[in-house]
Amino acid sequence: AKKAPPNAILAPNFKFEDMGIGGLDTEFSAIFRRAFASRVFPPALVEKLGITHVKGILLHGPPGTGKTLMARQIGKMLNAREPKIVNGPEILNKFVGASEENIRKLFADAEKEYKAKGDESGLHIIIFDELDAICKQRGSTGGGTGVGDSVVNQLLSKMDGVDQLNNILIIGMTNRLDMIDEALLRPGRLEVHMEISLPDERGRLQILSIHTAKMRQNNVMAPDVNIEELAALTKNFSGAEINGLVKSATSFAFSRHVKVGTLAGISDDIEDLLVNRDDFMNALD
Ligand code: ATP
């Protein structure tokens, strides 16, 4: 029999290792299996199984652990269009009524595009960052404005309407899982939940390796820097903090080439700048 075309096309030559995400490989494959397997099944099989695609996932965990990074890379993996990112607090800052309108428009735009181009329009990903800001348990959104309530209701009704439209995927992100309205977490809504926690030592080593790759490749990292040592010393650091550590180390290296108290006092040997172990130790301090 002729091989059926895949349902949603995985980006060709997709490799997790190339995504610049340290650690999180287990999480990534679990998300893939739980949320996207059906999208790479042949459509006929999906029909036989009588299943629908997962419409929404929720990534939760401490700040700076790579949730946004993960959401964007999922989009790349699925050959999706550039995701629309909606920020919770920003939405709430809008006038009453405008937030609901924004949400309605996000979905309407995707629908319009899909109607015009069909599957060719690709997968539309809508990322809701800091979802807790708009999705606190309804009725508990302080101040009694009720703004949160109607925004959540709008989101719920839009998500429920996605059924006919298999090309929309919602990715919610939050540091506060406990604040998310339970109605949003039910099957058919943000049904796959994944905790993205602080990296362990192996994860930190990978993150350090990613964020020092350029300087190692260009020989501007001194040989006395041992990223394994740094991975051991950065317990409880998030990926964002490790990124910050690397940046801070480079600024310590830079300051060795600047005459104190002057702005124009960058010495001629700036070309010889090397980030060394002391710079990382100073940064760690
Ligand atoms: P927040 O909850 O604050 O929005 P987040 O979990 O979405 O945070 P990101 O915005 O993805 O975190 O991370 C910020 C930056 O930190 C990334 O752009 C990246 O440079 C770095 N980073 C975080 N986690 C990782 C990781 N696992 N691998 C590589 N880099 C990471």
Side-chain angles (χ1 to χ4, degrees):
K2 209 172 133 225
K3 225 175 143 215
N7 210 343
I9 326 92
L10 277 188
N13 310 321
F14 165 79
K15 275 207 212 94
F16 178 78
E17 301 81 70
D18 300 338
M19 297 203 137
I21 305 178
L24 303 181
D25 41 342
T26 320
E27 287 84 348
F28 197 86
S29 43
I31 292 174
F32 184 79
R33 179 172 43 78
R34 285 161 55 190
F36 304 123
S38 72
R39 291 189 186 265
V40 291
F41 285 171
L45 178 59
V46 174
E47 205 152 295
K48 257 194 233 165
L49 291 167
I51 53 172
T52 49
H53 297 318
V54 166
K55 287 191 257 177
I57 67 178
L58 182 76
L59 305 178
H60 59 96
T65 44
K67 296 183 288 298
T68 313
L69 203 58
M70 188 91 134
R72 287 185 167 280
Q73 299 295 14
I74 285 171
K76 285 201 185 134
M77 170 185 78
L78 294 173
N79 255 340
R81 304 164 55 79
E82 185 60 23
K84 295 249 164 32
I85 302 192
V86 188
N87 183 271
E90 244 165 55
I91 275 224
L92 277 197
N93 280 339
K94 301 267 158 66
F95 298 118
V96 178
S99 335
E100 293 85 324
E101 176 56 24
N102 282 345
I103 290 181
R104 201 197 52 75
K105 194 168 179 307
L106 274 173
F107 284 82
D109 286 351
E111 247 166 86
K112 208 159 91 192
E113 174 114 11
Y114 187 69
K115 279 198 185 117
K117 294 192 185 161
D119 284 332
E120 297 295 304
S121 70
L123 184 70
H124 294 252
I125 296 187
I126 306 176
I127 297 178
F128 282 88
D129 195 8
E130 298 184 65
L131 185 66
D132 46 281
I134 47 170
C135 292
K136 288 178 181 142
Q137 304 282 337
R138 276 170 295 173
S140 71
T141 43
T145 58
V147 175
D149 289 17
S150 58
V151 175
V152 176
N153 287 336
Q154 175 71 296
L155 187 56
L156 287 174
S157 96
K158 280 292 143 195
M159 286 211 72
D160 290 343
V162 162
D163 251 354
Q164 337 78 310
L165 267 175
N166 278 333
N167 73 326
I168 297 184
L169 174 76
I170 314 291
I171 304 182
M173 298 191 296
T174 183
N175 308 320
R176 294 292 310 270
L177 180 61
D178 58 311
M179 298 277 252
I180 305 294
D181 193 314
E182 278 192 11
L184 259 165
L185 304 178
R186 280 187 210 132
R189 295 169 179 171
L190 301 178
E191 59 190 296
V192 172
H193 312 153
M194 182 58 63
E195 180 174 7
I196 308 294
S197 37
L198 290 173
D200 58 11
E201 190 165 332
R202 175 182 150 272
R204 295 196 298 273
L205 181 62
Q206 286 177 7
I207 298 170
L208 278 159
S209 165
I210 289 166
H211 289 286
T212 57
K214 266 260 164 65
M215 59 172 85
R216 283 182 291 121
Q217 195 184 325
N218 296 315
N219 298 317
V220 287
M221 194 166 96
D224 67 347
V225 183
N226 177 350
I227 59 173
E228 265 140 42
E229 176 192 27
L230 293 172
L233 290 172
T234 45
K235 194 159 182 272
N236 292 327
F237 275 49
S238 66
E241 285 166 339
I242 291 173
N243 187 15
L245 175 79
V246 174
K247 275 194 199 146
S248 170
T250 62
S251 67
F252 277 104
F254 177 71
S255 64
R256 276 185 277 114
H257 297 263
V258 182
K259 293 186 196 94
V260 183
T262 59
L263 267 180
I266 299 174
S267 46
D268 296 337
D269 59 359
I270 188 75
E271 294 281 340
D272 306 326
L273 181 140
L274 263 191
V275 188
N276 63 31
R277 183 177 178 277
D278 280 348
D279 297 324
F280 275 97
M281 292 305 146
N282 285 328
L284 267 175
D285 269 353

PDB file of all heavy atoms in Angstrom, residues 33-51:
ATOM      1  N   ARG A  33       6.113  12.410  23.323  1.00  0.00           N
ATOM      2  CA  ARG A  33       5.308  11.199  23.327  1.00  0.00           C
ATOM      3  C   ARG A  33       3.872  11.500  23.738  1.00  0.00           C
ATOM      4  O   ARG A  33       2.920  11.026  23.120  1.00  0.00           O
ATOM      5  CB  ARG A  33       5.950  10.188  24.286  1.00  0.00           C
ATOM      6  CG  ARG A  33       5.213   8.871  24.431  1.00  0.00           C
ATOM      7  CD  ARG A  33       6.035   7.864  25.247  1.00  0.00           C
ATOM      8  NE  ARG A  33       6.663   8.449  26.432  1.00  0.00           N
ATOM      9  CZ  ARG A  33       6.024   8.717  27.568  1.00  0.00           C
ATOM     10  NH1 ARG A  33       4.741   8.468  27.673  1.00  0.00           N
ATOM     11  NH2 ARG A  33       6.667   9.247  28.594  1.00  0.00           N
ATOM     12  N   ARG A  34       3.720  12.332  24.772  1.00  0.00           N
ATOM     13  CA  ARG A  34       2.378  12.552  25.305  1.00  0.00           C
ATOM     14  C   ARG A  34       1.567  13.551  24.487  1.00  0.00           C
ATOM     15  O   ARG A  34       0.339  13.480  24.452  1.00  0.00           O
ATOM     16  CB  ARG A  34       2.469  13.014  26.757  1.00  0.00           C
ATOM     17  CG  ARG A  34       2.817  11.847  27.688  1.00  0.00           C
ATOM     18  CD  ARG A  34       3.361  12.297  29.015  1.00  0.00           C
ATOM     19  NE  ARG A  34       2.478  13.225  29.705  1.00  0.00           N
ATOM     20  CZ  ARG A  34       2.799  13.910  30.783  1.00  0.00           C
ATOM     21  NH1 ARG A  34       3.997  13.782  31.300  1.00  0.00           N
ATOM     22  NH2 ARG A  34       1.943  14.718  31.349  1.00  0.00           N
ATOM     23  N   ALA A  35       2.243  14.493  23.863  1.00  0.00           N
ATOM     24  CA  ALA A  35       1.483  15.569  23.209  1.00  0.00           C
ATOM     25  C   ALA A  35       1.538  15.551  21.684  1.00  0.00           C
ATOM     26  O   ALA A  35       0.625  16.057  21.036  1.00  0.00           O
ATOM     27  CB  ALA A  35       1.966  16.923  23.734  1.00  0.00           C
ATOM     28  N   PHE A  36       2.595  15.009  21.107  1.00  0.00           N
ATOM     29  CA  PHE A  36       2.748  15.202  19.663  1.00  0.00           C
ATOM     30  C   PHE A  36       2.805  13.934  18.841  1.00  0.00           C
ATOM     31  O   PHE A  36       2.845  13.998  17.613  1.00  0.00           O
ATOM     32  CB  PHE A  36       3.989  16.046  19.367  1.00  0.00           C
ATOM     33  CG  PHE A  36       3.972  17.359  20.083  1.00  0.00           C
ATOM     34  CD1 PHE A  36       4.995  17.710  20.933  1.00  0.00           C
ATOM     35  CD2 PHE A  36       2.893  18.213  19.936  1.00  0.00           C
ATOM     36  CE1 PHE A  36       4.953  18.914  21.621  1.00  0.00           C
ATOM     37  CE2 PHE A  36       2.838  19.410  20.618  1.00  0.00           C
ATOM     38  CZ  PHE A  36       3.884  19.760  21.466  1.00  0.00           C
ATOM     39  N   ALA A  37       2.814  12.774  19.503  1.00  0.00           N
ATOM     40  CA  ALA A  37       2.909  11.533  18.742  1.00  0.00           C
ATOM     41  C   ALA A  37       1.824  11.483  17.669  1.00  0.00           C
ATOM     42  O   ALA A  37       2.097  11.177  16.503  1.00  0.00           O
ATOM     43  CB  ALA A  37       2.807  10.338  19.676  1.00  0.00           C
ATOM     44  N   SER A  38       0.585  11.859  18.046  1.00  0.00           N
ATOM     45  CA  SER A  38      -0.527  11.751  17.091  1.00  0.00           C
ATOM     46  C   SER A  38      -0.323  12.655  15.878  1.00  0.00           C
ATOM     47  O   SER A  38      -0.849  12.392  14.806  1.00  0.00           O
ATOM     48  CB  SER A  38      -1.850  12.089  17.769  1.00  0.00           C
ATOM     49  OG  SER A  38      -1.931  13.476  18.028  1.00  0.00           O
ATOM     50  N   ARG A  39       0.443  13.720  16.068  1.00  0.00           N
ATOM     51  CA  ARG A  39       0.636  14.645  14.943  1.00  0.00           C
ATOM     52  C   ARG A  39       1.581  14.088  13.888  1.00  0.00           C
ATOM     53  O   ARG A  39       1.621  14.579  12.763  1.00  0.00           O
ATOM     54  CB  ARG A  39       1.148  16.002  15.433  1.00  0.00           C
ATOM     55  CG  ARG A  39       0.097  16.746  16.228  1.00  0.00           C
ATOM     56  CD  ARG A  39       0.514  18.165  16.522  1.00  0.00           C
ATOM     57  NE  ARG A  39      -0.455  18.801  17.405  1.00  0.00           N
ATOM     58  CZ  ARG A  39      -1.469  19.554  16.977  1.00  0.00           C
ATOM     59  NH1 ARG A  39      -1.634  19.786  15.698  1.00  0.00           N
ATOM     60  NH2 ARG A  39      -2.311  20.075  17.845  1.00  0.00           N
ATOM     61  N   VAL A  40       2.392  13.094  14.284  1.00  0.00           N
ATOM     62  CA  VAL A  40       3.269  12.486  13.282  1.00  0.00           C
ATOM     63  C   VAL A  40       2.734  11.141  12.799  1.00  0.00           C
ATOM     64  O   VAL A  40       3.297  10.528  11.906  1.00  0.00           O
ATOM     65  CB  VAL A  40       4.735  12.354  13.775  1.00  0.00           C
ATOM     66  CG1 VAL A  40       5.379  13.711  13.892  1.00  0.00           C
ATOM     67  CG2 VAL A  40       4.823  11.623  15.093  1.00  0.00           C
ATOM     68  N   PHE A  41       1.627  10.689  13.394  1.00  0.00           N
ATOM     69  CA  PHE A  41       0.961   9.487  12.875  1.00  0.00           C
ATOM     70  C   PHE A  41       0.359   9.808  11.514  1.00  0.00           C
ATOM     71  O   PHE A  41      -0.043  10.946  11.276  1.00  0.00           O
ATOM     72  CB  PHE A  41      -0.225   9.077  13.771  1.00  0.00           C
ATOM     73  CG  PHE A  41       0.143   8.431  15.081  1.00  0.00           C
ATOM     74  CD1 PHE A  41      -0.845   8.193  16.029  1.00  0.00           C
ATOM     75  CD2 PHE A  41       1.441   8.052  15.382  1.00  0.00           C
ATOM     76  CE1 PHE A  41      -0.550   7.598  17.248  1.00  0.00           C
ATOM     77  CE2 PHE A  41       1.743   7.456  16.607  1.00  0.00           C
ATOM     78  CZ  PHE A  41       0.745   7.238  17.536  1.00  0.00           C
ATOM     79  N   PRO A  42       0.242   8.798  10.652  1.00  0.00           N
ATOM     80  CA  PRO A  42      -0.509   9.035   9.414  1.00  0.00           C
ATOM     81  C   PRO A  42      -1.966   9.364   9.773  1.00  0.00           C
ATOM     82  O   PRO A  42      -2.505   8.745  10.699  1.00  0.00           O
ATOM     83  CB  PRO A  42      -0.437   7.697   8.684  1.00  0.00           C
ATOM     84  CG  PRO A  42       0.629   6.913   9.376  1.00  0.00           C
ATOM     85  CD  PRO A  42       0.762   7.446  10.761  1.00  0.00           C
ATOM     86  N   PRO A  43      -2.607  10.319   9.080  1.00  0.00           N
ATOM     87  CA  PRO A  43      -3.974  10.724   9.415  1.00  0.00           C
ATOM     88  C   PRO A  43      -4.947   9.545   9.470  1.00  0.00           C
ATOM     89  O   PRO A  43      -5.842   9.522  10.318  1.00  0.00           O
ATOM     90  CB  PRO A  43      -4.347  11.680   8.283  1.00  0.00           C
ATOM     91  CG  PRO A  43      -3.055  12.137   7.716  1.00  0.00           C
ATOM     92  CD  PRO A  43      -2.046  11.065   7.955  1.00  0.00           C
ATOM     93  N   ALA A  44      -4.738   8.549   8.579  1.00  0.00           N
ATOM     94  CA  ALA A  44      -5.664   7.408   8.563  1.00  0.00           C
ATOM     95  C   ALA A  44      -5.611   6.656   9.888  1.00  0.00           C
ATOM     96  O   ALA A  44      -6.635   6.181  10.388  1.00  0.00           O
ATOM     97  CB  ALA A  44      -5.309   6.485   7.412  1.00  0.00           C
ATOM     98  N   LEU A  45      -4.415   6.562  10.447  1.00  0.00           N
ATOM     99  CA  LEU A  45      -4.259   5.858  11.724  1.00  0.00           C
ATOM    100  C   LEU A  45      -4.934   6.644  12.845  1.00  0.00           C
ATOM    101  O   LEU A  45      -5.610   6.070  13.707  1.00  0.00           O
ATOM    102  CB  LEU A  45      -2.769   5.658  12.033  1.00  0.00           C
ATOM    103  CG  LEU A  45      -2.439   4.974  13.365  1.00  0.00           C
ATOM    104  CD1 LEU A  45      -3.048   3.590  13.448  1.00  0.00           C
ATOM    105  CD2 LEU A  45      -0.936   4.908  13.579  1.00  0.00           C
ATOM    106  N   VAL A  46      -4.750   7.972  12.802  1.00  0.00           N
ATOM    107  CA  VAL A  46      -5.382   8.830  13.816  1.00  0.00           C
ATOM    108  C   VAL A  46      -6.897   8.609  13.777  1.00  0.00           C
ATOM    109  O   VAL A  46      -7.553   8.490  14.811  1.00  0.00           O
ATOM    110  CB  VAL A  46      -5.033  10.318  13.566  1.00  0.00           C
ATOM    111  CG1 VAL A  46      -5.790  11.228  14.525  1.00  0.00           C
ATOM    112  CG2 VAL A  46      -3.530  10.535  13.718  1.00  0.00           C
ATOM    113  N   GLU A  47      -7.428   8.491  12.551  1.00  0.00           N
ATOM    114  CA  GLU A  47      -8.866   8.283  12.394  1.00  0.00           C
ATOM    115  C   GLU A  47      -9.288   6.930  12.947  1.00  0.00           C
ATOM    116  O   GLU A  47     -10.266   6.801  13.672  1.00  0.00           O
ATOM    117  CB  GLU A  47      -9.227   8.383  10.914  1.00  0.00           C
ATOM    118  CG  GLU A  47     -10.673   8.786  10.709  1.00  0.00           C
ATOM    119  CD  GLU A  47     -10.821   9.530   9.392  1.00  0.00           C
ATOM    120  OE1 GLU A  47     -10.246  10.637   9.252  1.00  0.00           O
ATOM    121  OE2 GLU A  47     -11.473   8.961   8.507  1.00  0.00           O
ATOM    122  N   LYS A  48      -8.486   5.891  12.618  1.00  0.00           N
ATOM    123  CA  LYS A  48      -8.782   4.541  13.113  1.00  0.00           C
ATOM    124  C   LYS A  48      -8.805   4.502  14.628  1.00  0.00           C
ATOM    125  O   LYS A  48      -9.622   3.831  15.252  1.00  0.00           O
ATOM    126  CB  LYS A  48      -7.691   3.568  12.624  1.00  0.00           C
ATOM    127  CG  LYS A  48      -8.120   2.710  11.461  1.00  0.00           C
ATOM    128  CD  LYS A  48      -7.122   1.571  11.292  1.00  0.00           C
ATOM    129  CE  LYS A  48      -6.610   1.530   9.867  1.00  0.00           C
ATOM    130  NZ  LYS A  48      -5.418   0.710   9.699  1.00  0.00           N
ATOM    131  N   LEU A  49      -7.858   5.210  15.209  1.00  0.00           N
ATOM    132  CA  LEU A  49      -7.753   5.204  16.669  1.00  0.00           C
ATOM    133  C   LEU A  49      -8.847   6.051  17.315  1.00  0.00           C
ATOM    134  O   LEU A  49      -9.125   5.938  18.504  1.00  0.00           O
ATOM    135  CB  LEU A  49      -6.378   5.749  17.100  1.00  0.00           C
ATOM    136  CG  LEU A  49      -5.169   4.882  16.772  1.00  0.00           C
ATOM    137  CD1 LEU A  49      -3.882   5.670  16.964  1.00  0.00           C
ATOM    138  CD2 LEU A  49      -5.143   3.633  17.640  1.00  0.00           C
ATOM    139  N   GLY A  50      -9.439   6.916  16.509  1.00  0.00           N
ATOM    140  CA  GLY A  50     -10.507   7.773  17.034  1.00  0.00           C
ATOM    141  C   GLY A  50     -10.011   8.795  18.037  1.00  0.00           C
ATOM    142  O   GLY A  50     -10.709   9.140  18.985  1.00  0.00           O
ATOM    143  N   ILE A  51      -8.783   9.266  17.834  1.00  0.00           N
ATOM    144  CA  ILE A  51      -8.237  10.243  18.783  1.00  0.00           C
ATOM    145  C   ILE A  51      -8.170  11.630  18.156  1.00  0.00           C
ATOM    146  O   ILE A  51      -8.264  11.769  16.935  1.00  0.00           O
ATOM    147  CB  ILE A  51      -6.822   9.842  19.265  1.00  0.00           C
ATOM    148  CG1 ILE A  51      -5.909   9.583  18.064  1.00  0.00           C
ATOM    149  CG2 ILE A  51      -6.896   8.631  20.174  1.00  0.00           C
ATOM    150  CD1 ILE A  51      -4.449   9.377  18.435  1.00  0.00           C
TER     151      ILE A  51
END
